[in-house]
Amino acid sequence: MSGRRPTRMAPAVALLGLLAGDGLAGDVDLVKSTPPAREDAGAWQGKMLSEVLAVEEIASIVLLKAVTSAPPTLDLSNLRRMLGDASAAPLQAPGPRGFLQLGSSDSTWEAVLLMRTGQVFGLVVGPPVTRQPLLAHRGCLVADGERACFDIPPPALD
């Protein structure tokens, strides 16, 4: 053994390997297949988040980044909750602030969503575009050469 410590990516890579035999259809490009910025949300324009991404169909979330003090299990459950809370949100073009990018400093969470259907989504969540009190975060999705953003409401108080 070379004395190197195992990386934190090892569980994610193992999970992707297990899921690859369970319905994922080959390689997926969430970066280069994404179209350049445009004025609309493409094929997703006018649709609600739930019409493109059914939260109940998420098989696994591979968390790539979380700039929080929460434990990973809480980050993962918060992502699922936020997606559920935003299910009725209209998908929008990136707008003046642009599309939140994987690997950028303006994101709070970055994840890959592995769907039961085999589809793969890239998800980036960051602060809202405006400081409206009714918006907690803004999310952006990419999949199948499409991309769009949506507003995430704050959690409901029980």
Side-chain angles (χ1 to χ4, degrees), residues 102-152:
L102 289 170
S104 71
S105 61
D106 63 349
S107 64
T108 305
W109 293 276
E110 296 178 7
V112 174
L113 309 177
L114 305 171
M115 308 303 287
R116 289 187 176 93
T117 62
Q119 189 175 17
V120 178
F121 287 88
L123 172 70
V124 180
V125 177
V129 175
T130 63
R131 297 192 183 271
Q132 294 177 10
L134 299 178
L135 300 177
H137 294 91
R138 179 170 172 81
C140 294
L141 279 180
V142 59
D144 301 326
E146 296 293 334
R147 65 181 183 176
C149 298
F150 56 96
D151 293 320
I152 302 169

Side-chain angles (χ1 to χ4, degrees), residues 5-6 25 32 37 62 75-77 81-82 88-89 91-93 95 107 121 125 127-128 130 140 152 156-158:
R5 295 188 336 220
K32 292 183 179 179
V62 180
D75 281 319
L76 291 164
S77 65
R81 177 195 49 78
M82 285 188 281
L91 294 174
Q92 312 156 5
S107 64
F121 287 88
V125 177
T130 63
C140 294
I152 302 169
L157 300 174
D158 294 330

